[in-house]
Structure formats: C-alpha cells, structure tokens
Amino acid sequence: MKEKKTGGTLEKLCTLIVDKRKIVLVLYLFAFVFCVIAMGWVHVEEDVAKYLPEETETRQGINAMNENFEMFGMAQVMVSNITYETAEEIYDTLTAIDGVSAVVFDDSADHYKDASALYDVNFTGGNFDEESIRAVEQIRQELAAYDLALYTMVGYDQNAMLDEEMLVILIVAVVIIIGILSLTSQAFMEVPVLLLTFAAAALLNMGTNFIFGTISFISDSVAVVLQLAMAIDYAVILCHRFTAERKTMDARGAVIAALRKSIPEVSASSLTTISGLMALGFMKFGIGLDMAMVLIKAILLSLLSVFTLMPGLLLMFSPLIDKTRHRKLLPNIDFLGKFAVKSRRVLPPLFAGVMIAAFVISSKCPYVYSLTDLKTTKMTEQQYAYFDIKDTFGASNTVALLVPAGDYEAESRILAELNSRDEVKATMGLAGIEAMDGYKLTDALNPRQLSELLGMDYEVVQLLYTAYAAEHDQYGQILNGAAEYEIPLFDMFLYLKDQMDTYHITLGGEDMADMGDMLDQLEMAREQMQSEHYSRLVIYLNLPEEGEETYAFLQEIRNIVGQYYEGDYYLVGNSTNSRDLSAYFASDNMMISLLSAFFVIIVLLFTFKSAGLPVLLIMVIQGSIWITFSLPTITQTPMYFLGYLIVNAIMMGANIDYAIVISSHYLDKKQTMPHKEAIVHAINSAFPTVFTSGIMMSAAGLLIGNMSAQPAVSIMGMCIGRGTLISVILVLFVLPSILVLGDSIINRTSFKLKAVEPKVRSVSGTVRVRGRVRGYVSGYVDAEIDGVLHGQLDANVTVGGQITEGGEEDA
C-alpha cells in the first residue's frame, strides 16, 4: 500500500528546510554579499567613557569639551643616556620640526633626570591629521640614533590594531579548534561542515551590527571569537545526531530526524547562555547592554545557521562524511565516575569550604577602573614607551577643569589656590600664563599701559581700543573716552590678530615680527583653552589616577571652584572617569550576579523539573567564578573591573551548559540503573561534549588574553579562558560527587508539570508507530519507536505520535 506521510509541525518544518536546501543556500549567498557591504556601515566606539550614564560628570564633561574645544595632538618624548647639553640640542631639533607647535623642556626634575630628558610636544593638528602624523614620523627619524621612547596617540588607530590582532587570534583559534573537532568527531569531513556553519553565523553577526548604529571596540573585537567558542557546540550536537541517525537511515532521512531531535535540545542549551548575557543589559554602565545585544544576536544567528544552513551542508557532504569515518579517539573515563562515587562524602564538603574561602578572597580582588597602568602579556611599542617614561619620571595624572568663560579674575584665583596645594604639581590656564614684563595674559590694561608694553604709538592704540569698543557694542566707553578703558591682554591680542587677518595688516620690525608669532600661538591657545561658553584649565596632579585620596581631592577641587561658580563646571580626566566607574561597579556587580543566576535558575527549573538540581549546578559554576577571581588577589595582579562583570555573566550563562550536559545524562541513566552506576555512564557519555566545548572556549579566551595588547580585551579573554578551564575541572571532578551525594535532594524536589495524559490505545495486528511508546507490545515497552509492529499493542503513544492500523500511515 502507498505510505502516506503525516507528521508534526516540527517534522514538516525540518523536511521543508532539507528539501528546499538549494533555495536556502541561495538566500544565504545573498545575505553574505549584503553583510560584507554592511560591515562598512558599523561605527566602532573606542572611548569606554562614552558608555557612562548621561548624568555622570565625566560623560557631561567629555561632551562639553568635544563640543567646545579643538583637541590638538600631543606626545611625550624621552631620550635616555644623554647629557644636558645634548638634551638642549635635541630641544632645538624638536622645535624646528614642521607640525610641532610647542615643546616644553627645562632643567627641572620633571624634564631632566638620571641622564634622561623628557619633552612635552604639542602639534599643530589633531591626532589623525596628516601634519601631526608626519611630525611624529620626523621625530622618529631625527632621534633614531638615540635611546628613544615616544608615547603619543597621534596616528594610533586602536580599531585597526585590534582587527589585526583578532584576525591572527581567529586563525590560531580555528587551527586549534580543527584539531579538537578532529579528535572528538566521528568523521573527518564533519569538520568542514562545522566550520562553514560557524563562518556563516559569524559573517551574519558582523554584517548585522550596523542595526545598533555604534558598538564598542570590546564587542567588535571579541564577538567573533566568543561566538565561535560559545555557539559551535550547537553545530556539534546536530552533527552527532546526524551520525547516530545515519546508522539506520538514508542521508536525507537522517538529516531530517537529526534536525527534529536537535532543535529542542539546542534551543534549550542556548537559553542558559542567552539568559546569562541578558543580565549584562541591566548594567547602568552602557557597555554591558552593548555587549549583551551583540552577543545575544550572535547566539541567535548561530542557531539560525545551524537549523537552516547546516542541514543542507550535511546532506551535501554526506558521501564524504561516510567515507572519512574513524574510530572513537577519545578514551572512556570510567575512573572519574568511580572516583565520584568513592569521594561523594569528601569532595562536596571540601568544595563547600573552598567556595567560602574563594568568596572571601575574591571579594578583595584588586579592581582597577583605568586601563592606563595595566600591563598585558603582549604590549605595543606605545605601551612600552609609556612604562619606560613612567619608571623614570613617574606617572602623570592630568585633569581638565571646564568653567564658564568670561571671568578671568575667578580663573586666576582658582589657579592660585590650586597651585598652593601639595597635591598639585602644576596648572595651566590663560589666567596663569605670563605674557610679558610681568603681565599675565588675562590682566586688563588701558591704552597707555598697552602702548608702553608694546612700544606702539599711543594714538594708534587709542584707535584700536575705540574700534574694539564699537565692535563689542560698548559705546559708553567711546563717549567717556578710551583713556581709562581696560581690556584683558588676551582679548586685545586676539582682536588685533583678527584685524590683521581681516585687513591683511603686517607689523614691521623685528619686535613686531615676534609679536606676530606670539599672536599665532595665542590663536592656538584660544582653540584649546577658551570657547564661547567655557574656559579650560589643566591641572597636573601629584596623585595616582585611582584611590580614595585622589577621589577626595577631586571633591576638594569642586569645593574650590564652587566658591566662584554655581554649578555649570566639569572635571574631566582618567581620575574622574575611574571615580564614576567605581561608583557604579558595586551595583552593577550585584545586579549581574543576581540576575544571571536568577535567569539561569528559571531555565533550569523548567528544564529539569526539579528545585534542588538547579541550585547544585549554580553552586558549581558560581564556585568556579569565585575561584577565578581569587587568583588576582593571591597574585596581587590588578583586575580591570569590566572584565569581572562581563566574564561573570558569560561564565554563568555559557559554562553552566557543561553541568547541564552531565546532569541530563545522569538523570536519563538513572531511569534504567542505580544512581551510582548512572554517574559512571553519564560522565562517559557527556565527556566528549564537555571536552569539546570547554577546551574550545578556554583556548579562545587564553588566545585573546595572551595575543591582544588592548588591556580590557586581554584581561577579559584571560579570565574567560581560566574561568572556563576551572569550570570544566569542577564539572568533571566535583559535580559528579555532588550529584551522587545529593541524589535524594534531587528526587525529593522534583516535580512534574500537569499535562494531558494520552489515552491508552489497544490495537492488534500490523500497525505503524512513530513516537514514544509506554505500555505493552506483547510485553512491556518504554522506548522511542519508528516502524511497523506485528502483534498486540496496549500502550500510551506520545511525542506527537499516532497509531495507524495496517501500517498504511505514519504515527
């Protein structure tokens, strides 16, 4: 008789995906072309401070400074092993370089110390202007014969550097992953299928990041490698299912059956990862939401690629997969299961003690909030230069103070009071710069005083004052006579320069030529230190960038400024940035820890239908997190706070999968054998999956940690690598003992959701059955059945199955 196919919605969908694989492939090709183009639309933000909440002073100050001031390039140039006379010659060389606007150097300990000279160089252009980049290159050429350390942001493209690093890291990671997959796969040609599936998912994720407008450099750099580490096991699950189904079915049927069985399993596995990442989105520090969006999208697109593209690839490669099958390369690890049984009364209490100790130690982790002083395994020439300069001349800590423009007297008093403090090394502001003959730039002079200062004709200066008053609508000064009219030197100089530029006036004589050069310098000073709305004061502190003493003095600065201005002023710098970040760290840390654990527990609760088991699994992973962040405390290694927040969520969301795999196998095996035997078989069955996913994740993290020179990225990678390795060790060595010892807790806290029980069907003769059968078929049966039965059946048939008598239809 003709066999009529009837299946559930899921099977029909799987069949459609497989049968329309050519159309699916064409759609993916179009998507790939689009994504390659769209990758150029993604804007990458390098400044972490941009992700601070809008209400923070640092964020508001940065916005105000960017909107009001021109930021010119700067460099610190240190030349070692030279005499002071040579240092003076180098000073002359630097000042003569095109593109250099000013060089600060003197015989003080701030600029010459231990036969080393330090020059503060200012450029005429910004960090990415050609004139500044050429000037930096000329500095390198002119000082190539000396022992040179050059620290500057001019021409430093962090995104380009990270892209180059991640390309190398990705290539190395792929080589390692190919080796791991070859070891854990059952056919060598499975590996290209897995890699093609991942490549498709990664390209889709990178190409669709434009929907967010701007993403952080951290998300942009690590997303591909983390996506590979977190999501490739979804493809591995489908691949293993296909191998199992292929033993009894043709290639097409095996792919459909494997996809049907994998979709629920893979979807459930991804939920914990997504749940952990969702917690990042609740951080007040916006970079958490940025990473959450990018990585959750990466997980979803990985699922899409596995469910829609990979089935077609499996069918396409199936002949080669069949030809390249090999024996199992991973050994059985019965000893771990037997060890778990024997140590069940020792390891869990010992682990509890370790957890408590790790919690206490990790709570003292030396967190830092600035990247400046963090060393990485790999460092750039720029980083080496920074630490060389710091080791010789000490760290420099600069804070910018933005105050409302126009009150030079208030600015002068603020600078004077700050200069009197021991915490301040020096200050810079228009009100503190000496112009000539003892006058400061902001001192107000009348026509007679300016005439004598510049050696200009008094009547000419009076005309200049009159013109100034007319242009600024100060007609009362004209009527009263200009003799007593006082104008700040800085304002008058800039007005004079504007008149010279507008009417092409030239000043004769050598003194007047020098005056022209000074006016040009003042124009640059205005662009950097004064705008229509704000004046910018620079404060050089004798304090570290972070710490309670520094934060307390920042408040003192605010108190000083508050005596003269009511509130429209900002402090901006690495210290203020660190202060704001530290203020949000405690709440963000608590938020991520609680939410990631809560979301994962909810998923596990409905996955295992047990209240006790999720708690046991969470304990193991939380223990691995605390142990991971105990290591920086023990070694006294500074830990960038963002690394902890992000790694906490990723480990809780992704590494919990390893515990889920073993627990699932354990619960399944317990149905047919005692729990002490079940744990032995469970570890053997789960080991390939845990080993494959765990080693790949750990390898990816450690590669990022050791091969990236960007501190935030490097530290995050190192923590993920170490944390995943610790998680795998605990899941394989400690969790089994906990499961055996806590078996009674798991049983007592288990529950079943109410469901409609299927009716018992009683048929005899020849029947076609597809579904889970529980009952009697000429004897008791509880199994997955897909085939024709001959005899008598008296049983429940579930999982969407039906019974068709005569074997004419599928059930």
Side-chain angles (χ1 to χ4, degrees):
M1 302 179 83
K2 185 178 179 181
E3 188 174 323
K4 182 181 177 182
K5 296 283 183 184
T6 64
T9 302
L10 181 58
E11 182 158 346
K12 290 179 180 178
L13 177 62
C14 296
T15 302
L16 179 67
I17 291 172
V18 173
D19 290 343
K20 301 298 182 182
R21 59 189 178 277
K22 293 182 179 179
I23 296 177
V24 171
L25 182 59
V26 171
L27 291 175
Y28 267 93
L29 290 176
F30 279 115
F32 295 158
V33 173
F34 172 80
C35 286
V36 169
I37 297 172
M39 285 168 61
W41 303 343
V42 181
H43 178 259
V44 179
E45 178 57 64
E46 295 186 23
D47 189 358
V48 175
K50 294 289 182 66
Y51 292 91
L52 283 167
E54 290 287 351
E55 66 270 16
T56 59
E57 182 181 22
T58 300
R59 180 72 183 275
Q60 294 175 357
I62 288 175
N63 291 340
M65 197 153 58
N66 290 338
E67 292 170 2
N68 288 273
F69 295 97
E70 182 74 23
M71 306 304 292
F72 292 96
M74 301 176 65
Q76 283 190 307
V77 179
M78 185 178 77
V79 182
S80 303
N81 303 313
I82 57 173
T83 63
Y84 186 75
E85 289 72 21
T86 304
E88 289 182 313
E89 294 174 3
I90 292 175
Y91 169 80
D92 294 335
T93 300
L94 292 175
T95 54
I97 292 176
D98 290 338
V100 172
S101 62
V103 180
V104 179
F105 175 74
D106 54 40
D107 59 357
S108 69
D110 291 334
H111 290 96
Y112 187 80
K113 180 180 178 182
D114 299 332
S116 295
L118 179 63
Y119 307 89
D120 295 317
V121 181
N122 295 307
F123 299 102
T124 57
N127 284 337
F128 294 99
D129 290 342
E130 285 298 323
E131 55 191 302
S132 300
I133 295 174
R134 284 195 300 267
V136 169
E137 289 304 314
Q138 190 172 348
I139 290 174
R140 294 184 191 278
Q141 294 173 9
E142 294 286 350
L143 304 182
Y146 296 95
D147 187 357
L148 174 68
L150 175 59
Y151 176 68
T152 182
M153 298 302 293
V154 171
Y156 180 70
D157 189 343
Q158 181 172 247
N159 289 334
M161 182 196 75
L162 277 171
D163 288 343
E164 292 176 5
E165 287 181 349
M166 287 303 153
L167 178 60
V168 175
I169 290 171
L170 187 60
I171 292 172
V172 177
V174 168
V175 172
I176 292 175
I177 287 171
I178 289 175
I180 296 171
L181 292 176
S182 299
L183 184 64
T184 58
S185 67
Q186 300 179 49
F188 291 119
M189 285 307 296
E190 290 176 354
V191 177
V193 174
L194 297 173
L195 293 179
L196 286 173
T197 303
F198 163 72
L203 183 56
L204 289 176
N205 193 49
M206 291 188 292
T208 53
N209 281 334
F210 76 93
I211 64 176
F212 302 130
T214 299
I215 63 174
S216 70
F217 72 92
I218 298 177
S219 300
D220 181 61
S221 59
V222 302
V224 174
V225 181
L226 289 184
Q227 182 183 8
L228 171 61
M230 290 191 296
I232 199 169
D233 55 334
Y234 305 153
V236 171
I237 291 173
L238 177 57
C239 201
H240 286 176
R241 283 286 188 184
F242 170 72
T243 300
E245 300 295 335
R246 188 71 178 91
K247 294 176 181 177
T248 58
M249 305 176 71
D250 63 8
R252 175 181 173 277
V255 173
I256 294 173
L259 183 59
R260 175 172 58 84
K261 294 177 181 178
S262 295
I263 287 178
E265 182 180 355
V266 171
S267 299
S269 175
S270 68
L271 277 178
T272 55
T273 304
I274 292 174
S275 297
L277 294 172
M278 281 176 58
L280 288 174
F282 290 87
M283 288 172 55
K284 293 180 182 178
F285 188 35
I287 206 164
L289 178 61
D290 177 82
M291 286 205 70
M293 293 189 302
V294 173
L295 292 178
I296 288 176
K297 180 165 64 68
I299 298 299
L300 294 176
L301 291 174
S302 295
L303 289 175
L304 179 67
S305 299
V306 169
F307 293 157
T308 59
L309 177 63
M310 188 174 174
L313 294 177
L314 282 173
L315 198 54
M316 185 187 308
F317 281 82
S318 60
L320 294 175
I321 292 175
D322 292 339
K323 291 179 182 179
T324 59
R325 296 204 177 278
H326 56 77
R327 64 181 179 83
K328 181 181 178 182
L329 299 178
L330 285 180
N332 287 330
I333 51 172
D334 294 349
F335 70 93
L336 274 184
K338 296 175 182 177
F339 172 76
V341 174
K342 292 181 179 179
S343 62
R344 67 187 183 280
R345 301 187 188 281
V346 178
L347 267 185
L350 181 62
F351 175 66
V354 171
M355 274 192 67
I356 295 172
F359 169 73
V360 174
I361 297 173
S362 64
S363 65
K364 300 177 181 178
C365 186
Y367 294 111
V368 295
Y369 305 91
S370 172
L371 297 170
T372 308
D373 292 326
L374 290 177
K375 291 186 177 181
T376 54
T377 303
K378 173 190 173 184
M379 292 202 298
T380 62
E381 179 185 354
Q382 183 196 46
Q383 287 171 302
Y384 279 117
Y386 170 80
F387 286 110
D388 286 345
I389 294 171
K390 178 185 175 183
D391 291 341
T392 304
F393 289 94
S396 59
N397 184 8
T398 305
V399 176
L401 172 62
L402 273 61
V403 297
D407 191 343
Y408 292 137
E409 182 64 26
E411 293 176 29
S412 178
R413 291 179 180 178
I414 289 172
L415 290 175
E417 190 165 351
L418 289 174
N419 282 322
S420 68
R421 300 296 300 267
D422 293 336
E423 295 90 344
V424 176
K425 182 187 298 184
T427 61
M428 183 174 68
L430 294 178
I433 298 176
E434 184 173 338
M436 55 183 68
D437 293 348
Y439 286 111
K440 297 291 180 65
L441 269 180
T442 55
D443 288 345
L445 276 68
N446 59 37
R448 177 67 65 186
Q449 291 170 320
L450 183 63
S451 171
E452 293 174 354
L453 178 67
L454 300 181
M456 295 178 63
D457 185 77
Y458 177 66
E459 284 72 18
V460 173
V461 173
Q462 279 189 313
L463 290 174
L464 187 63
Y465 269 64
T466 302
Y468 181 94
E471 184 163 325
H472 291 80
D473 299 327
Q474 297 177 356
Y475 299 106
Q477 297 291 345
I478 299 175
L479 294 175
N480 295 330
E484 301 303 320
Y485 184 21
E486 293 185 343
I487 301 174
L489 266 177
F490 183 71
D491 294 347
M492 178 53 73
F493 283 156
L494 291 178
Y495 177 72
L496 177 59
K497 184 177 188 312
D498 289 341
Q499 298 304 304
M500 291 168 60
D501 293 341
T502 302
Y503 298 105
H504 306 291
I505 300 172
T506 58
L507 299 175
E510 184 176 341
D511 291 340
M512 290 295 100
D514 293 339
M515 176 70 176
D517 292 338
M518 184 190 74
L519 293 179
D520 291 336
Q521 294 288 333
L522 291 179
E523 177 64 27
M524 290 189 64
R526 175 170 62 177
E527 293 177 351
Q528 295 182 74
M529 308 197 73
Q530 189 183 70
S531 71
E532 180 181 353
H533 303 290
Y534 292 100
S535 288
R536 181 169 173 260
L537 314 179
V538 181
I539 308 167
Y540 301 93
L541 300 177
N542 285 317
L543 297 171
E545 288 187 353
E546 302 181 31
E548 292 304 319
E549 183 184 5
T550 302
Y551 302 154
F553 187 67
L554 292 179
Q555 183 57 45
E556 289 192 41
I557 294 177
R558 292 184 58 81
N559 294 339
I560 293 171
V561 179
Q563 299 174 22
Y564 304 95
Y565 301 97
E566 292 187 358
D568 189 19
Y569 57 88
Y570 305 101
L571 276 173
V572 183
N574 286 342
S575 289
T576 62
N577 187 28
S578 298
R579 179 202 59 195
D580 290 341
L581 291 174
S582 64
Y584 286 102
F585 174 65
S587 59
D588 281 347
N589 180 23
M590 182 65 70
M591 180 76 69
I592 286 179
S593 298
L594 293 178
L595 287 181
S596 59
F598 174 75
F599 290 151
V600 170
I601 283 178
I602 293 299
V603 173
L604 296 181
L605 196 64
F606 287 96
T607 300
F608 291 112
K609 299 179 179 62
S610 169
L613 184 56
V615 175
L616 297 178
L617 302 187
I618 291 290
M619 283 175 55
V620 173
I621 300 304
Q622 186 62 63
S624 69
I625 293 173
W626 286 336
I627 293 172
T628 298
F629 290 99
S630 295
L631 298 179
T633 307
I634 295 171
T635 60
Q636 285 301 297
T637 303
M639 169 58 59
Y640 187 52
F641 82 105
L642 190 58
Y644 176 80
L645 294 176
I646 293 173
V647 173
N648 189 356
I650 290 177
M651 286 182 65
M652 185 59 73
N655 293 5
I656 194 78
D657 283 350
Y658 314 146
I660 291 173
V661 170
I662 289 184
S663 301
S664 299
H665 282 278
Y666 173 65
L667 295 179
D668 287 341
K669 299 297 182 183
K670 272 206 322 173
Q671 302 298 319
T672 57
M673 61 184 71
H675 67 284
K676 293 180 182 179
E677 294 180 23
I679 197 64
V680 177
H681 291 277
I683 295 178
N684 263 333
S685 302
F687 178 64
T689 303
V690 174
F691 176 82
T692 302
S693 183
I695 295 302
M696 286 193 298
M697 184 93 163
S698 182
L702 292 175
L703 282 174
I704 293 173
N706 286 284
M707 297 181 67
S708 176
Q710 215 295 327
V713 175
S714 175
I715 288 174
M716 188 174 67
M718 191 68 74
C719 290
I720 289 175
R722 285 193 309 223
T724 300
L725 194 58
I726 292 171
S727 297
V728 170
I729 293 172
L730 293 181
V731 163
L732 291 176
F733 286 88
V734 178
L735 178 62
S737 297
I738 293 176
L739 292 176
V740 175
L741 183 65
D743 188 69
S744 60
I745 297 176
I746 298 172
N747 292 334
R748 291 173 185 173
T749 59
S750 295
F751 61 89
K752 289 186 178 180
L753 298 177
K754 291 183 178 180
V756 178
E757 292 291 336
K759 295 180 179 179
V760 175
R761 297 292 303 275
S762 298
V763 294
S764 61
T766 300
V767 294
R768 176 80 179 183
V769 179
R770 175 174 292 175
R772 184 174 182 84
V773 178
R774 183 179 179 85
Y776 291 90
V777 184
S778 297
Y780 186 75
V781 173
D782 183 0
E784 295 281 351
I785 292 180
D786 183 5
V788 178
L789 296 178
H790 301 276
Q792 183 174 355
L793 183 144
D794 186 16
N796 291 334
V797 180
T798 58
V799 195
Q802 292 184 354
I803 299 173
T804 305
E805 298 184 22
E808 296 182 359
E809 296 181 352
D810 280 347

